[in-house]
Amino acid sequence: MSQVSEIFDGLLDNLRVDNSGTLAMRRDQITKVLNREFRYLDDSTNHKLMVGSYGRWTAIKGISDLDLLFILPPAIRGDYNSDGDASRILSRTREAIQARYPGTSVTVDRLVVVVEFANFMFEVQPVFVNDDESFSYPDTYADGWKITKPREEISAMRSENLSTKGNLRQLCKLARAWKNKHGVALGGLLIDTLAYNFMTTNPDYRSIAMSSYDEMVRDFFLFLAEQPDQERYLALGSRQHVRVKKKFQRKAKKAYDLSVEAIEAEGQKNVSKKWRAVFGNSVPIVDVLKSLSAGASPDETEEFIEDQYYLDVRYDVTIDCTVTQDGFRPHSLRDTVRLSRLLPAKKELTFKIIGSDVPEPFDVRWKVLNRGPEAERRKSVRGQIIESSHGRDRREVTSFRGRHLVECYIVRNGVVVARDDIEVPISSAFN
């Protein structure tokens, strides 16, 4: 097996959903509750459809948002065609599930009933089947019913994946690993649509072996970086609109550059480290590095968020840092970095969240990683996952030269759902 194949085979194996049994159990329990409520059937797991990334088989380890359609009996459709009936069907669905899980948070959220378990949640949507195999779903904002076509999306993914000998779904999973590593607020349907568009317009990658996955992901990131700014795309299969939450081109260009560096490092001792910069610690250590990693220095104290929490980045967060020193006006660290300036030592730093769309409640974790020869000499690499020091902020002091890094993680229901980082370039040391 080539080095590239070993890296990507191990990475994809590490990305496999590892709690599918638990997810299936909860799915079937919810379906039984709703069949009893709407059909008076006991222990039936029929009339359900998993949609979203799990239904398209593009989910990876850590998936925390499961989309479950419950297909309502057509005989009751006429009972829910009046004003207020969208809310009424969702409320009835919520009450039935809440009775089964009295100690669990079960809420109505516009289109769905959200059932929050530890580390994952189900968004349950009661639907009616239409003659064209689409579904009508309730929308409490519009106080009526709208149309969705997930079967067409699932069918398009299945068909194109077969045509590409499995490469499409693998690319979708790799894109999710990148999204989780770099805090890219891309929805699952948009990821799959962009990967689908890439495959259908780049025939050279439709039947490649895993030994060419390095070039495939490199060119995919370039494809993303060169996408025009637009508010929405047409989803694969259904051609329904899928919204762009936030621009992704800049982070895709960074991933392209990192991929180029990783490809150039093939056969070298740092190749796994290079690919980890793209996809995170799910990238395995290749054989040439295993003996080196076994003898790692005890001064290496860095911890990794994926070892403590599941990752499923679905929201956006932006952090900044206020730099202060007696006798000087406070200023933004991002402004300093943007101007390519370095920070002197003895500056007080307050890292804080300046923007986020993560719904409350959530917790915040930080990582301060000192980098460079000075950090290694002082045995002060740090890198532990730590809590905020003042409210949700983290306060630090510049100490010695290096291009250090601070990362912020937003944890909701035991899952990292947003992340951001900022570089801290310090110019000189002091004792």
Side-chain angles (χ1 to χ4, degrees):
M1 181 183 292
S2 71
Q3 188 181 68
V4 171
S5 297
E6 184 178 358
I7 287 173
F8 281 93
D9 182 65
L11 170 57
L12 287 162
D13 188 59
N14 290 337
L15 293 176
R16 292 179 185 273
V17 176
D18 63 348
N19 60 342
S20 56
T22 300
L23 299 180
M25 178 186 69
R26 295 298 191 191
R27 175 202 65 198
D28 290 348
Q29 289 173 342
I30 292 171
T31 304
K32 288 179 182 179
V33 165
L34 297 180
N35 271 319
R36 188 176 302 117
E37 173 68 22
F38 290 100
R39 287 187 171 83
Y40 308 105
L41 297 175
D42 286 329
D43 296 325
S44 174
T45 59
N46 296 323
H47 313 295
K48 66 178 181 297
L49 179 65
M50 290 296 297
V51 296
S53 58
Y54 201 81
R56 293 188 298 273
W57 290 73
T58 55
I60 63 173
K61 179 180 178 180
I63 182 173
S64 64
D65 187 357
L66 287 302
D67 300 307
L68 171 62
L69 300 189
F70 176 73
I71 303 171
L72 295 163
I76 69 170
R77 190 164 192 164
D79 298 335
Y80 292 94
N81 280 331
S82 303
D83 292 346
D85 283 344
S87 294
R88 192 160 63 91
I89 195 72
L90 286 167
S91 295
R92 183 177 173 185
T93 300
R94 188 203 71 80
E95 290 167 4
I97 297 173
Q98 186 72 82
R100 171 62 179 80
Y101 298 107
T104 299
S105 173
V106 184
T107 57
V108 173
D109 184 11
R110 183 180 176 179
L111 313 173
V112 296
V113 175
V114 180
V115 188
E116 294 196 38
F117 299 107
N119 300 325
F120 63 88
M121 66 183 182
F122 274 88
E123 293 188 349
V124 184
Q125 192 168 59
V127 298
F128 289 108
V129 181
N130 300 315
D131 291 340
D132 62 356
E133 294 299 304
S134 67
F135 297 98
S136 293
Y137 66 91
D139 182 348
T140 58
Y141 285 12
D143 192 18
W145 296 78
K146 294 184 176 180
I147 301 297
T148 184
K149 301 176 181 180
R151 280 177 171 158
E152 295 181 11
E153 295 157 5
I154 292 171
S155 177
M157 175 59 70
R158 182 187 301 115
S159 176
E160 185 66 10
N161 190 62
L162 287 172
S163 297
T164 61
K165 299 184 178 179
N167 289 326
L168 174 57
R169 280 191 176 132
Q170 302 288 49
L171 180 59
C172 292
K173 294 174 183 180
L174 293 169
R176 282 170 169 78
W178 161 69
K179 178 258 300 185
N180 287 342
K181 167 64 177 175
H182 294 274
V184 190
L186 277 174
L189 182 55
L190 181 54
I191 287 176
D192 292 353
T193 295
L194 290 167
Y196 179 91
N197 292 348
F198 172 78
M199 279 297 190
T200 55
T201 55
N202 288 271
D204 290 346
Y205 293 116
R206 295 181 63 81
S207 59
I208 60 168
M210 195 167 288
S211 57
S212 297
Y213 271 26
D214 54 347
E215 296 177 352
M216 178 180 71
V217 297
R218 176 201 63 194
D219 290 351
F220 175 64
F221 290 134
L222 183 61
F223 170 81
L224 295 184
E226 294 178 344
Q227 288 294 297
D229 289 340
Q230 55 193 74
E231 295 182 354
R232 58 184 61 87
Y233 285 79
L234 296 178
L236 73 163
S238 69
R239 310 300 288 170
Q240 293 187 308
H241 287 164
V242 52
R243 186 172 65 88
V244 178
K245 296 180 181 179
K246 190 173 181 179
K247 294 179 181 179
F248 52 82
Q249 288 85 344
R250 180 180 60 83
K251 290 185 177 181
K253 178 57 168 59
K254 179 181 178 182
Y256 168 78
D257 293 338
L258 291 172
S259 298
V260 170
E261 292 180 14
I263 290 171
E264 291 174 349
E266 184 177 355
Q268 300 175 18
K269 65 180 182 180
N270 63 341
V271 63
S272 287
K273 182 178 180 180
K274 293 292 187 180
W275 281 117
R276 284 188 169 194
V278 181
F279 296 114
N281 271 24
S282 292
V283 173
I285 302 295
V286 295
D287 286 341
V288 70
L289 289 181
K290 287 179 181 177
S291 60
L292 297 175
S293 63
S297 167
D299 298 327
E300 293 290 341
T301 57
E302 185 177 2
E303 297 175 346
F304 299 96
I305 195 68
E306 53 264 51
D307 294 334
Q308 299 185 16
Y309 299 95
Y310 279 127
L311 301 186
D312 188 11
V313 171
R314 295 179 285 114
Y315 301 101
D316 184 57
V317 63
T318 303
I319 63 172
D320 200 355
C321 173
T322 301
V323 183
T324 58
Q325 185 178 23
D326 290 344
F328 295 87
R329 178 180 298 177
H331 61 277
S332 162
L333 175 58
R334 287 200 184 274
D335 289 342
T336 299
V337 174
R338 192 177 298 115
L339 295 171
S340 300
R341 294 175 179 170
L342 301 179
L343 290 176
K346 299 183 181 179
K347 294 282 189 179
E348 294 184 0
L349 308 177
T350 302
F351 298 91
K352 59 180 62 182
I353 296 169
I354 62 171
S356 172
D357 61 354
V358 182
E360 296 279 2
F362 61 80
D363 297 318
V364 180
R365 298 290 183 269
W366 299 88
K367 179 162 79 170
V368 180
L369 181 62
N370 296 330
R371 299 186 295 190
E374 189 70 11
E376 295 172 5
R377 182 181 68 82
R378 290 168 176 254
K379 297 183 179 180
S380 185
V381 173
R382 297 182 63 182
Q384 300 92 343
I385 307 300
I386 54 180
E387 297 186 1
S388 303
S389 53
H390 294 76
R392 284 177 168 168
D393 299 345
R394 181 71 200 180
R395 294 184 183 175
E396 297 286 336
V397 177
T398 59
S399 55
F400 51 84
R401 183 177 182 86
R403 304 194 75 86
H404 310 311
L405 185 73
V406 172
E407 296 186 339
C408 176
Y409 314 100
I410 307 299
V411 182
R412 192 172 190 275
N413 193 29
V415 178
V416 175
V417 296
R419 66 188 294 176
D420 193 22
D421 60 63
I422 187 169
E423 191 175 71
V424 188
I426 303 174
S427 62
S428 60
F430 72 96
N431 294 311

